[in-house]
Amino acid sequence: MKNKRVRSWLLYDWGNSAFATTIMAAILPVFYYDVAAQGLPENTAASYWGYSQSLAVLLVAVMSPILGAISDYSAAKKQFLRFFAFMGMIASVLLAFVGEGDYLFASILLIIGTIGFSGGNVFYDAFLPEIAEGDNIDRISTRGFAYGYIGGGLLLAVNVLMLLKHDWFGMPDQAIASRVSFATVGLWWFVFSIPLFRNIQEEKKHQQQRSQSYVVIGFKRVAGTFRDLKQYRQLLVFLLAFWLYNDGVSTIIKMATIYGKDIGIDTNSLITALLITQFIGIPSTFFFGWLAGKITAKRALLISLYTYVAIVILGFFMVSAFHFYLLAVCVGLVQGGAQALSRSIYGRMVPGDRHAEFYGFYGISSKFAAVFGPFLFGFVGQLTGSSRYGIFSLLLFFIAGIVLLQMVNIDKGIEEANKQTNDDLKVEVH
């Protein structure tokens, strides 16, 4: 039964990762420029796309810790996960109805879909400590990311084929193929979420009577969590490290396409590079799960971050499409491992009765922190007149993150979390 629950949890990542690959990264941006924003000046279309992304991230960042706190209080992670998942699925399907000039409709659906995707992941991540036991948390977390690479990559490959060979599928043009691809994301996500909703039952701990609305309770618990973080010193240091190096990771993901265009790589080649990263990430993520069991999760994570330092240096000297593909290979080797091990290390040091609440902070930290990397990239590039120096500036995030991560004692962090959980239980008993 335990394995069945784990498989069900993994398949959700398989399903919802299609939103990240097909809609957020690959096909929707091009469709937005060419179809939805048709008639707008090119720079205006780009700005509207940026505003839509920023608003979606901001809303998710503000909502995540509140929703996590409400979920813990009501013991309703599964209900919240279902609500946000269906929000994302429906938005994906509705994107198929976006026509020429419907940029506002497309932006609204992108925002709703992103909230559904990211909001659902708060509750999805919070199930990890419940379905994993002991040292298995690293292996299961990395396997989840690997499943996401496989599921998202497979559907993206099919959708790219639909675009390039739309006549094979009986479609008249790429615009129709793009619309159909958006609908397939919603259906794919729905099908592979069914096992989780059927097979995973939430652990209902310390159910409490409430005398206030969930919104008031949520805000109070968020404020309390900020205040309580000082009791988890190791967790706090890890969060600071995570904010820094994850900002570097997310900036590389977001800016790689723009950087590739600067050296003259065409759109098809950029999508091919994304597929390379996606499928190399599958075995690599499994490898990092295995490696964490051999040398500890912290050391495996440090290896991935040192590799990112090498990636930034390679990016600085990149001059050809071959170098860009090499960069895609390197990112694929470490991207999933870095994200999965960060999630599992964090999960180890989170107090046992406040999973969703603290994973809400994990979500908000990654969203708000992700603002600074792209800004620094753009500012340094504009200041120096070269985006090469923009990419090189990301070394600051990785080096600072590595230094702080070296200071984290995970075993001590687990002790701090367990001690605080036991203290909370004693207070409730009395």
Side-chain angles (χ1 to χ4, degrees):
M1 186 61 191
K2 192 75 173 179
N3 290 335
K4 187 176 183 180
R5 295 177 69 207
V6 170
R7 286 195 299 271
S8 299
W9 186 83
L10 295 172
L11 284 174
Y12 182 84
D13 212 331
W14 176 294
N16 84 330
S17 291
F19 183 87
T21 54
T22 293
I23 291 181
M24 296 179 72
I27 296 179
L28 181 58
V30 177
F31 180 83
Y32 189 94
Y33 296 143
D34 294 341
V35 179
Q38 192 173 98
L40 292 177
E42 185 175 344
N43 60 332
T44 304
S47 297
Y48 284 0
W49 175 258
Y51 297 151
S52 302
Q53 291 278 16
S54 297
L55 181 58
V57 171
L58 178 62
L59 289 173
V60 168
V62 171
M63 290 170 63
S64 292
I66 299 169
L67 293 173
I70 295 172
S71 171
D72 269 349
Y73 188 92
S74 64
K77 289 194 293 293
K78 188 173 175 180
Q79 291 176 320
F80 279 98
L81 173 56
R82 183 184 289 111
F83 173 81
F84 282 100
F86 275 92
M87 180 189 295
M89 296 170 197
I90 293 170
S92 300
V93 173
L94 289 178
L95 279 167
F97 298 95
V98 173
E100 295 180 359
D102 291 340
Y103 63 90
L104 183 58
F105 186 36
S107 292
I108 291 172
L109 291 177
L110 171 67
I111 292 169
I112 293 174
T114 302
I115 291 173
F117 173 76
S118 300
N121 279 343
V122 171
F123 305 102
Y124 169 73
D125 287 344
F127 274 112
L128 175 59
E130 294 186 10
I131 65 166
E133 293 179 347
D135 293 337
N136 283 335
I137 192 171
D138 294 321
R139 182 172 58 86
I140 293 173
S141 181
T142 51
R143 185 172 294 182
F145 273 96
Y147 269 56
Y149 275 119
I150 298 172
L154 282 176
L155 187 61
L156 176 60
V158 172
N159 290 334
V160 169
L161 184 62
M162 288 167 55
L163 289 177
L164 299 179
K165 301 292 182 180
H166 52 81
D167 53 312
W168 290 5
F169 298 87
M171 302 176 194
D173 52 44
Q174 286 192 344
I176 296 296
S178 296
R179 292 186 179 98
V180 173
S181 71
F182 303 146
T184 64
V185 169
L187 295 174
W188 183 272
W189 189 351
F190 171 73
V191 169
F192 289 104
S193 67
I194 292 173
L196 185 151
F197 295 136
R198 290 185 60 182
N199 300 325
I200 294 183
Q201 301 301 320
E202 184 169 355
E203 296 179 6
K204 296 183 180 295
K205 300 178 181 180
H206 315 301
Q207 186 76 14
Q208 303 178 47
Q209 295 294 323
R210 65 184 181 92
S211 58
Q212 298 173 306
S213 71
Y214 284 137
V215 175
V216 173
I217 294 169
F219 274 106
K220 283 188 175 181
R221 290 199 64 180
V222 168
T225 306
F226 275 114
R227 185 178 62 251
D228 293 345
L229 271 176
K230 64 178 181 292
Q231 301 174 17
Y232 309 94
R233 183 181 180 278
Q234 299 301 319
L235 180 63
L236 182 58
V237 175
F238 175 78
L239 270 176
L240 292 172
F242 174 73
W243 290 343
L244 288 164
Y245 70 72
N246 188 66
D247 197 1
V249 171
S250 64
T251 302
I252 287 176
I253 294 171
K254 293 174 182 176
M255 306 307 294
T257 300
I258 294 175
Y259 194 55
K261 285 185 176 180
D262 281 347
I263 62 171
I265 300 176
D266 61 275
T267 300
N268 288 343
S269 296
L270 293 174
I271 294 177
T272 300
L274 179 61
L275 284 170
I276 290 173
T277 299
Q278 195 77 14
F279 286 104
I280 287 182
I282 296 167
S284 299
T285 304
F286 280 117
F287 169 75
F288 270 95
W290 172 85
L291 186 63
K294 295 295 182 180
I295 64 172
T296 75
K298 178 181 172 180
R299 288 174 180 168
L301 177 57
L302 283 168
I303 289 174
S304 73
L305 298 182
Y306 286 128
T307 304
Y308 266 113
V309 170
I311 288 170
V312 170
I313 295 173
L314 173 63
F316 178 78
F317 291 105
M318 183 168 60
V319 295
S320 68
F322 171 77
H323 292 152
F324 190 81
Y325 287 127
L326 181 60
L327 190 67
V329 170
C330 293
V331 171
L333 288 173
V334 294
Q335 180 176 295
Q339 292 172 323
L341 292 176
S342 297
R343 179 172 64 180
S344 61
I345 290 172
Y346 184 81
R348 288 171 180 267
M349 296 188 287
V350 167
D353 57 344
R354 299 170 74 178
H355 287 153
E357 178 186 351
F358 272 76
Y359 268 108
F361 276 95
Y362 187 76
I364 196 174
S365 63
S366 63
K367 299 298 184 299
F368 276 131
V371 172
F372 299 103
F375 174 81
L376 183 63
F377 180 99
F379 178 75
V380 172
Q382 186 178 21
L383 192 67
T384 61
S386 171
S387 59
R388 294 185 183 278
Y389 292 101
I391 198 77
F392 196 71
S393 67
L394 299 181
L395 280 177
L396 294 174
F397 294 100
F398 288 111
I399 292 174
I402 288 170
V403 171
L404 283 175
L405 183 60
Q406 293 276 20
M407 299 167 59
V408 176
N409 185 321
I410 297 175
D411 291 334
K412 189 173 181 180
I414 295 172
E415 291 177 6
E416 291 173 352
N418 291 338
K419 179 180 181 301
Q420 192 59 42
T421 300
N422 292 333
D423 289 345
D424 291 342
L425 288 174
K426 289 177 183 178
V427 171
E428 287 185 15
V429 170
H430 290 298

Coordinates of all heavy atoms in Angstrom, one line a residue, residues 176-224:
I176 N -3.5 26.1 -35.0 CA -4.4 25.1 -34.6 C -3.7 24.0 -33.7 O -4.2 23.6 -32.7 CB -5.1 24.5 -35.8 CG1 -6.0 25.5 -36.5 CG2 -6.0 23.3 -35.3 CD1 -7.1 26.1 -35.7
A177 N -2.5 23.7 -34.2 CA -1.7 22.7 -33.5 C -1.4 23.1 -32.1 O -1.4 22.4 -31.1 CB -0.4 22.3 -34.3
S178 N -1.1 24.4 -31.9 CA -0.8 25.0 -30.6 C -2.0 24.9 -29.7 O -1.9 24.6 -28.5 CB -0.3 26.5 -30.8 OG 0.9 26.6 -31.5
R179 N -3.1 25.3 -30.3 CA -4.4 25.3 -29.5 C -4.7 23.8 -29.0 O -5.0 23.6 -27.8 CB -5.5 25.8 -30.3 CG -5.4 27.3 -30.6 CD -6.7 27.8 -31.3 NE -6.7 29.2 -31.6 CZ -6.3 29.7 -32.7 NH1 -6.0 28.9 -33.7 NH2 -6.3 31.0 -32.9
V180 N -4.5 22.9 -29.9 CA -4.7 21.5 -29.5 C -3.7 21.1 -28.4 O -4.1 20.3 -27.5 CB -4.7 20.6 -30.7 CG1 -4.7 19.1 -30.3 CG2 -5.8 20.9 -31.7
S181 N -2.5 21.5 -28.5 CA -1.5 21.1 -27.5 C -1.8 21.7 -26.1 O -1.6 21.0 -25.1 CB -0.1 21.7 -27.9 OG 0.0 23.1 -27.8
F182 N -2.4 22.9 -26.1 CA -2.9 23.4 -24.8 C -3.9 22.5 -24.1 O -3.9 22.2 -22.9 CB -3.4 24.8 -24.9 CG -2.4 25.8 -25.5 CD1 -2.8 26.8 -26.3 CD2 -1.0 25.6 -25.3 CE1 -2.0 27.7 -26.9 CE2 -0.1 26.5 -25.8 CZ -0.6 27.5 -26.7
A183 N -4.9 22.0 -25.0 CA -5.9 21.2 -24.4 C -5.4 19.8 -24.0 O -5.8 19.3 -23.0 CB -7.0 20.9 -25.5
T184 N -4.3 19.3 -24.7 CA -3.7 18.0 -24.3 C -3.1 18.1 -22.9 O -3.0 17.2 -22.2 CB -2.7 17.5 -25.3 OG1 -1.6 18.5 -25.4 CG2 -3.3 17.4 -26.7
V185 N -2.6 19.3 -22.6 CA -2.0 19.5 -21.2 C -3.0 19.3 -20.1 O -2.7 18.6 -19.2 CB -1.3 20.9 -21.1 CG1 -0.9 21.2 -19.7 CG2 -0.1 21.0 -22.0
G186 N -4.2 19.9 -20.3 CA -5.2 19.8 -19.3 C -5.7 18.3 -19.1 O -5.8 17.8 -18.0
L187 N -5.8 17.6 -20.3 CA -6.3 16.2 -20.2 C -5.2 15.3 -19.6 O -5.5 14.4 -18.8 CB -6.6 15.8 -21.6 CG -7.8 16.5 -22.3 CD1 -8.0 16.0 -23.7 CD2 -9.1 16.2 -21.5
W188 N -3.9 15.6 -20.0 CA -2.8 14.8 -19.5 C -2.7 15.0 -18.0 O -2.5 14.0 -17.2 CB -1.5 15.3 -20.2 CG -0.2 14.6 -19.9 CD1 0.6 14.9 -18.9 CD2 0.4 13.5 -20.6 NE1 1.7 14.1 -18.9 CE2 1.6 13.2 -20.0 CE3 0.0 12.8 -21.8 CZ2 2.5 12.3 -20.5 CZ3 0.8 11.8 -22.2 CH2 2.1 11.5 -21.6
W189 N -2.8 16.2 -17.5 CA -2.7 16.5 -16.1 C -3.8 15.8 -15.4 O -3.6 15.2 -14.3 CB -2.8 18.0 -16.0 CG -2.5 18.6 -14.6 CD1 -2.4 18.0 -13.4 CD2 -2.4 20.0 -14.3 NE1 -2.2 18.9 -12.4 CE2 -2.2 20.1 -12.9 CE3 -2.4 21.2 -15.1 CZ2 -2.0 21.4 -12.3 CZ3 -2.2 22.4 -14.5 CH2 -2.0 22.5 -13.1
F190 N -5.0 15.9 -15.9 CA -6.2 15.2 -15.3 C -6.0 13.7 -15.1 O -6.2 13.2 -14.0 CB -7.5 15.5 -16.1 CG -8.7 14.8 -15.6 CD1 -9.3 15.1 -14.4 CD2 -9.2 13.7 -16.3 CE1 -10.4 14.4 -14.0 CE2 -10.3 13.0 -15.9 CZ -10.9 13.3 -14.7
V191 N -5.6 13.1 -16.2 CA -5.5 11.6 -16.2 C -4.5 11.1 -15.1 O -4.8 10.2 -14.3 CB -5.2 11.1 -17.6 CG1 -4.8 9.6 -17.5 CG2 -6.3 11.3 -18.5
F192 N -3.4 11.8 -15.1 CA -2.3 11.3 -14.2 C -2.4 11.8 -12.7 O -1.6 11.5 -11.9 CB -0.9 11.6 -14.8 CG -0.6 10.8 -16.0 CD1 -0.7 11.4 -17.3 CD2 -0.3 9.5 -15.9 CE1 -0.4 10.6 -18.4 CE2 0.0 8.7 -17.0 CZ -0.1 9.3 -18.2
S193 N -3.5 12.6 -12.5 CA -3.7 13.1 -11.1 C -4.7 12.1 -10.4 O -4.8 12.1 -9.2 CB -4.3 14.5 -11.1 OG -5.5 14.6 -11.7
I194 N -5.4 11.3 -11.2 CA -6.5 10.4 -10.7 C -5.9 9.5 -9.6 O -6.5 9.3 -8.5 CB -7.2 9.7 -11.8 CG1 -8.0 10.6 -12.6 CG2 -8.1 8.5 -11.2 CD1 -8.6 10.0 -13.9
P195 N -4.7 8.8 -9.8 CA -4.2 7.9 -8.8 C -4.0 8.6 -7.4 O -4.3 8.0 -6.4 CB -2.9 7.4 -9.4 CG -3.1 7.5 -10.9 CD -3.9 8.8 -11.1
L196 N -3.5 9.8 -7.4 CA -3.2 10.5 -6.2 C -4.5 10.8 -5.4 O -4.7 10.5 -4.2 CB -2.5 11.9 -6.4 CG -2.1 12.6 -5.2 CD1 -0.8 13.5 -5.5 CD2 -3.2 13.6 -4.7
F197 N -5.5 11.3 -6.1 CA -6.8 11.6 -5.5 C -7.5 10.3 -5.0 O -8.3 10.3 -4.0 CB -7.7 12.3 -6.5 CG -7.2 13.7 -6.8 CD1 -7.2 14.1 -8.2 CD2 -6.7 14.5 -5.9 CE1 -6.7 15.4 -8.5 CE2 -6.2 15.8 -6.2 CZ -6.2 16.2 -7.5
R198 N -7.2 9.2 -5.6 CA -7.9 7.9 -5.2 C -7.1 7.2 -4.1 O -7.7 6.6 -3.2 CB -8.0 7.0 -6.4 CG -9.0 7.4 -7.5 CD -9.2 6.4 -8.5 NE -9.6 5.1 -8.0 CZ -9.8 4.0 -8.7 NH1 -9.6 4.0 -10.0 NH2 -10.3 2.9 -8.2
N199 N -5.8 7.2 -4.1 CA -5.0 6.3 -3.3 C -4.3 7.0 -2.1 O -3.8 6.3 -1.2 CB -4.0 5.6 -4.1 CG -4.6 4.8 -5.2 OD1 -5.6 4.2 -5.1 ND2 -3.9 4.8 -6.4
I200 N -4.2 8.3 -2.0 CA -3.5 9.0 -0.9 C -4.6 9.6 0.0 O -5.4 10.5 -0.4 CB -2.5 10.0 -1.4 CG1 -1.4 9.4 -2.2 CG2 -2.0 10.8 -0.2 CD1 -0.3 10.3 -2.7
Q201 N -4.6 9.1 1.3 CA -5.4 9.7 2.3 C -4.6 10.5 3.2 O -3.5 10.1 3.7 CB -6.1 8.6 3.1 CG -7.0 7.7 2.2 CD -8.1 8.4 1.5 OE1 -8.7 9.3 2.0 NE2 -8.3 8.0 0.2
E202 N -5.1 11.7 3.5 CA -4.3 12.6 4.4 C -4.3 12.2 5.8 O -5.3 11.7 6.4 CB -5.0 14.0 4.3 CG -4.2 15.1 5.0 CD -4.7 16.5 4.7 OE1 -5.6 16.6 3.8 OE2 -4.2 17.5 5.3
E203 N -3.1 12.4 6.4 CA -3.0 12.1 7.9 C -3.6 13.3 8.7 O -3.1 14.4 8.6 CB -1.5 12.0 8.3 CG -0.9 10.8 7.6 CD 0.6 10.6 8.0 OE1 1.1 11.4 8.9 OE2 1.3 9.8 7.4
K204 N -4.7 13.1 9.3 CA -5.4 14.1 10.0 C -4.8 14.2 11.5 O -5.2 13.3 12.3 CB -6.9 13.9 10.0 CG -7.5 14.0 8.6 CD -9.0 13.8 8.7 CE -9.6 13.9 7.3 NZ -9.4 15.2 6.6
K205 N -4.0 15.2 11.7 CA -3.4 15.3 13.1 C -3.9 16.5 13.8 O -4.0 17.6 13.3 CB -1.9 15.4 12.9 CG -1.2 14.2 12.2 CD 0.3 14.5 12.1 CE 1.0 13.3 11.4 NZ 2.4 13.6 11.2
H206 N -4.2 16.3 15.1 CA -4.5 17.4 16.0 C -5.6 18.3 15.4 O -5.4 19.6 15.3 CB -3.3 18.2 16.3 CG -2.1 17.3 16.7 ND1 -2.2 16.4 17.7 CD2 -0.9 17.2 16.1 CE1 -1.0 15.8 17.8 NE2 -0.2 16.3 16.8
Q207 N -6.7 17.8 14.9 CA -7.8 18.6 14.4 C -8.3 19.5 15.5 O -8.5 19.2 16.6 CB -8.9 17.7 13.9 CG -10.1 18.4 13.2 CD -9.7 18.8 11.8 OE1 -8.7 18.3 11.3 NE2 -10.5 19.7 11.2
Q208 N -8.4 20.8 15.1 CA -8.8 21.8 16.1 C -10.1 22.5 15.8 O -10.4 22.6 14.6 CB -7.7 22.9 16.2 CG -6.3 22.4 16.5 CD -5.3 23.5 16.5 OE1 -5.5 24.6 17.1 NE2 -4.2 23.3 15.8
Q209 N -10.8 22.9 16.8 CA -12.0 23.7 16.6 C -11.6 25.1 16.2 O -10.6 25.6 16.8 CB -12.9 23.7 17.9 CG -13.4 22.3 18.3 CD -14.4 21.8 17.2 OE1 -15.2 22.5 16.7 NE2 -14.4 20.4 17.0
R210 N -12.3 25.7 15.3 CA -12.0 27.0 14.9 C -13.1 28.0 15.2 O -14.3 27.7 15.1 CB -11.6 27.1 13.4 CG -12.8 26.8 12.5 CD -12.4 26.8 11.0 NE -13.5 26.6 10.1 CZ -14.2 27.5 9.6 NH1 -14.0 28.8 9.8 NH2 -15.2 27.2 8.8
S211 N -12.7 29.2 15.7 CA -13.7 30.2 16.0 C -13.5 31.4 15.1 O -14.2 32.4 15.3 CB -13.5 30.7 17.5 OG -12.2 31.1 17.7
Q212 N -12.6 31.3 14.1 CA -12.4 32.4 13.2 C -12.4 31.9 11.8 O -12.3 30.7 11.5 CB -11.0 33.1 13.5 CG -10.9 33.7 14.8 CD -9.5 34.2 15.1 OE1 -8.5 33.5 15.0 NE2 -9.4 35.5 15.5
S213 N -12.5 32.8 10.8 CA -12.4 32.3 9.4 C -11.1 31.8 9.0 O -10.1 32.1 9.7 CB -12.8 33.5 8.5 OG -11.7 34.4 8.4
Y214 N -11.0 30.9 8.0 CA -9.8 30.4 7.6 C -8.8 31.5 7.1 O -7.6 31.3 7.3 CB -10.0 29.4 6.4 CG -10.5 28.1 6.8 CD1 -11.6 27.5 6.1 CD2 -10.0 27.4 8.0 CE1 -12.1 26.2 6.5 CE2 -10.5 26.2 8.4 CZ -11.6 25.6 7.6 OH -12.1 24.4 8.0
V215 N -9.3 32.6 6.5 CA -8.5 33.7 6.1 C -7.7 34.3 7.3 O -6.5 34.5 7.2 CB -9.3 34.7 5.3 CG1 -8.4 35.9 5.0 CG2 -9.9 34.1 4.1
V216 N -8.5 34.6 8.3 CA -7.9 35.2 9.5 C -6.9 34.2 10.2 O -5.8 34.6 10.5 CB -9.0 35.5 10.6 CG1 -8.4 36.0 11.9 CG2 -9.9 36.6 10.0
I217 N -7.3 32.9 10.3 CA -6.4 31.9 10.8 C -5.1 31.8 10.0 O -4.0 31.8 10.5 CB -7.1 30.6 10.9 CG1 -8.2 30.6 11.9 CG2 -6.1 29.5 11.3 CD1 -9.1 29.4 11.8
G218 N -5.3 31.9 8.6 CA -4.1 31.8 7.7 C -3.2 32.9 7.9 O -2.0 32.6 8.1
F219 N -3.7 34.1 8.0 CA -2.8 35.3 8.2 C -2.1 35.2 9.5 O -0.9 35.5 9.7 CB -3.5 36.6 8.0 CG -3.7 37.1 6.6 CD1 -4.9 37.0 5.9 CD2 -2.6 37.6 6.0 CE1 -5.0 37.4 4.6 CE2 -2.7 38.0 4.6 CZ -3.9 37.9 4.0
K220 N -2.8 34.8 10.6 CA -2.2 34.7 11.9 C -1.1 33.6 11.9 O 0.0 33.8 12.5 CB -3.3 34.4 12.9 CG -4.1 35.5 13.3 CD -5.0 35.2 14.5 CE -5.8 36.4 15.0 NZ -6.7 36.1 16.1
R221 N -1.3 32.5 11.3 CA -0.3 31.5 11.3 C 0.9 31.9 10.4 O 2.0 31.5 10.8 CB -0.9 30.2 10.8 CG -1.9 29.5 11.7 CD -2.1 28.1 11.5 NE -0.9 27.3 11.7 CZ -0.8 26.0 11.5 NH1 -1.9 25.4 11.1 NH2 0.3 25.4 11.7
V222 N 0.7 32.6 9.4 CA 1.8 33.1 8.6 C 2.7 34.0 9.4 O 3.9 33.9 9.4 CB 1.3 33.8 7.3 CG1 2.4 34.6 6.6 CG2 0.7 32.9 6.3
A223 N 2.0 34.9 10.1 CA 2.8 35.8 11.0 C 3.5 35.1 12.1 O 4.7 35.3 12.4 CB 1.8 36.9 11.6
G224 N 2.8 34.0 12.6 CA 3.5 33.2 13.6 C 4.7 32.4 13.1 O 5.7 32.2 13.8

